Amino acid sequence: MLTSNFIYLKSNPKLYQYLKENSEWLKQLNRSNHSLKKFESFIKDKYHLKKTDKISSAIDNLDIVTNLLSTLK
């Protein structure tokens, strides 16, 4: 693995924690530099970190607040 890739993984806590818990990704990351993008995409899907996930979560929170406020009226 390139040192720049390792520094990038170490700087991102979610990626680094997942690697510590599931080492099967280390093989793929050591073999190819292109697998870093695949790994990052996998983590974003797993932990719901994509922009669409964040937007839908914000909308859900807003719905909860509006429902709570309408109940209090």
Side-chain angles (χ1 to χ4, degrees), residues 2 4 18 27-29 35 37 39 42 52 54 60 70:
L2 294 174
S4 61
Y18 188 82
K27 283 184 185 178
Q28 294 177 9
L29 291 171
S35 57
K37 291 181 183 178
F39 177 64
F42 172 76
T52 55
K54 290 179 183 180
D60 290 343
S70 67

Side-chain angles (χ1 to χ4, degrees), residues 7-21 39 43 47 49:
I7 291 170
Y8 176 74
L9 290 171
K10 189 93 171 175
S11 68
N12 192 331
K14 293 224 185 250
L15 296 177
Y16 190 67
Q17 183 64 32
Y18 188 82
L19 272 179
K20 284 172 46 178
E21 294 171 358
F39 177 64
I43 293 298
Y47 291 118
L49 298 175

